């Protein structure tokens, strides 16, 4: 049960983070509300998880899975591509 709640909390946090990207600095209403709802749900579910799971275990799973799951949702924009490295000796 605790692992299911933690998985749902992580999913809500990733959804909130994804919605934040689309809120454009919280200037768009629905993505901004999605961000708020995602984070509220994530922390409510995490609080329930911590009633039966140790904090260290929950946080390690939260951080690891959340970090692994976040880049796919945030890397879909072509605007966030890293610059290609310049060759040695060429002007930047």
């Amino acid at each position: 049960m605790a692992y299911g709640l933690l998985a749902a909390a992580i999913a809500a946090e990733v959804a909130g983070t994804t919605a934040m990207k689309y809120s454009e600095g919280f200037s768009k209403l629905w993505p901004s509300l999605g961000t708020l709802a995602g984070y509220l749900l994530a922390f409510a579910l995490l609080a329930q998880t911590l009633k039966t799971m140790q904090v260290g275990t929950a946080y390690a799973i939260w951080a690891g899975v959340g970090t692994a799951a976040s880049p796919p949702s945030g890397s879909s924009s072509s605007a966030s591509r890293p610059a290609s490295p310049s060759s040695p000796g060429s002007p930047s």
Side-chain angles (χ1 to χ4, degrees), residues 25-43:
F26 297 104
S27 62
K28 295 190 178 230
L29 177 63
W30 294 111
S32 298
L33 292 175
T35 300
L36 180 65
Y39 284 121
L40 285 174
L41 180 61
F43 286 107

Side-chain angles (χ1 to χ4, degrees), residues 1-15 38 41-42 45-46 49 62:
M1 173 88 171
Y3 288 102
L5 286 172
L6 184 58
I10 293 167
E13 191 257 341
V14 170
L41 180 61
L45 291 170
L46 181 62
T49 301
W62 172 285

